[in-house]
Amino acid sequence: MRRPRAPGPGGVPDELEFATKPRLAERMIAAALDAGVAASWVTGDEAYGQDPHLRAGLEARRIGYVLAVACTTRVRINHGRTPVPAQVVVDRLPASAWHRQSAGAGAKGPRYYDWAWVYIGDDDHRHLLVRRNPSTHELAFYLCWSPAPVALSELVRVAGVRWSIEECFQAAKGQTGLDHYQVRQWNSWHRHITLAMLALAFLTVVAASAAPDCPAESNNHARSGDPIALTVPEIRHLLGTIFKPSTVSPARLLHWSAWRRQHQATARRSHYRRRLATTPFST
């Protein structure tokens, strides 16, 4: 009887092979879609946007994407006849091609950028999306594809979703210790990561359950006087204080939380009003 092969260094199973980030992403997306997870868009940074195999796989599954790419990426304009670097396309854009839109709400107000989009390829499903910082004029480039024609505002929205993903990683590291491990074994690492993600999921569900219903209008924070909703850090702080021996009563603890969130709401309202007052709009 043949004995099973021993795991490799660190306990990594021998049957596992190296895979790049785009390949790992492709497998994870396929597994999620095959499991019935509903998704219409994929967004990511240059590590994923520069991979043509990943983009082709998403198109084959009819999943739209807004993926960051380098300024040197060559795109095809003039109905797909002329390949040029993305930076050259931007240099030829007239001033009227830029539209100021928000990529979503940030900590200090709407995140307004100037956006331009250009049809690439030979149909109306592919775009080069360009983001320009109004202050620094720094540019960011995105390759976009959608199974059906979409508006510029939809591509901007998807591009802005990446900020929430980065925020999620930061919350996992800061609140549940996602990166606070010193293990060197395969099983130990997986146990730590799984526990950290489970803790973050629990805190996120509690925060979502406690969040009050609010208008969908993005600039509502500029007018509302309500305290900010319970956040993941706030819930973690409250739970830690409750389960740790303390001379502070639960009523006192909740009063202090409400007072702090009210002052945070005041600061946020001021940030939003200043941002909205100084940001010109274009369509």
Side-chain angles (χ1 to χ4, degrees), residues 1 103 114 124 135 153-154 170 222 276:
M1 181 176 179
D114 296 327
D124 56 356
S135 302
S153 58
E154 179 66 2
Q170 292 300 321
L276 293 172

Side-chain angles (χ1 to χ4, degrees), residues 187-199:
N187 288 339
S188 302
W189 182 83
H190 273 81
R191 289 166 183 165
H192 173 86
I193 297 300
T194 302
L195 182 60
M197 295 177 66
L198 178 61

Side-chain angles (χ1 to χ4, degrees), residues 74-236:
R74 299 182 73 83
V75 297
R76 292 186 172 273
I77 58 176
N78 297 330
H79 299 286
R81 294 190 297 267
T82 309
V84 294
Q87 181 65 59
V88 173
V89 176
V90 175
D91 294 340
R92 298 176 181 176
L93 291 176
S96 59
W98 296 95
H99 309 275
R100 185 154 298 180
Q101 295 190 19
S102 172
K108 296 184 178 181
R111 293 175 292 128
Y112 284 108
Y113 293 95
D114 296 327
W115 301 84
W117 61 337
V118 179
Y119 287 108
I120 58 177
D122 56 1
D123 55 39
D124 56 356
H125 298 264
R126 301 182 187 277
H127 295 87
L128 172 67
L129 178 67
V130 187
R131 185 192 72 193
R132 183 178 66 188
N133 188 302
S135 302
T136 66
H137 298 286
E138 180 183 4
L139 299 175
F141 301 83
Y142 304 86
L143 287 183
C144 308
W145 181 85
S146 58
V150 295
L152 171 62
S153 58
E154 179 66 2
L155 298 182
V156 170
R157 182 192 68 80
V158 177
V161 168
R162 234 185 77 204
W163 177 75
S164 63
I165 299 172
E166 298 295 336
E167 187 181 48
C168 181
F169 277 113
Q170 292 300 321
K173 293 176 181 179
Q175 301 303 321
T176 63
L178 183 69
D179 59 345
H180 297 176
Y181 60 86
Q182 296 182 351
V183 297
R184 295 294 182 270
Q185 294 292 319
W186 176 262
N187 288 339
S188 302
W189 182 83
H190 273 81
R191 289 166 183 165
H192 173 86
I193 297 300
T194 302
L195 182 60
M197 295 177 66
L198 178 61
L200 180 63
F202 170 77
L203 293 172
T204 302
V205 170
V206 173
S209 301
D213 294 332
C214 59
E217 202 273 309
S218 61
N219 297 328
N220 177 63
H221 296 315
R223 297 184 296 272
S224 174
D226 297 332
I228 68 169
L230 285 167
T231 61
V232 166
E234 184 71 12
I235 293 173
R236 176 180 175 271

Side-chain angles (χ1 to χ4, degrees), residues 262-279:
Q262 184 65 60
H263 280 261
Q264 290 171 338
T266 301
R268 181 180 63 183
R269 186 165 59 251
S270 298
H271 286 308
Y272 267 71
R273 287 177 176 176
R274 183 170 64 251
R275 182 70 61 86
L276 293 172
T278 58
T279 302

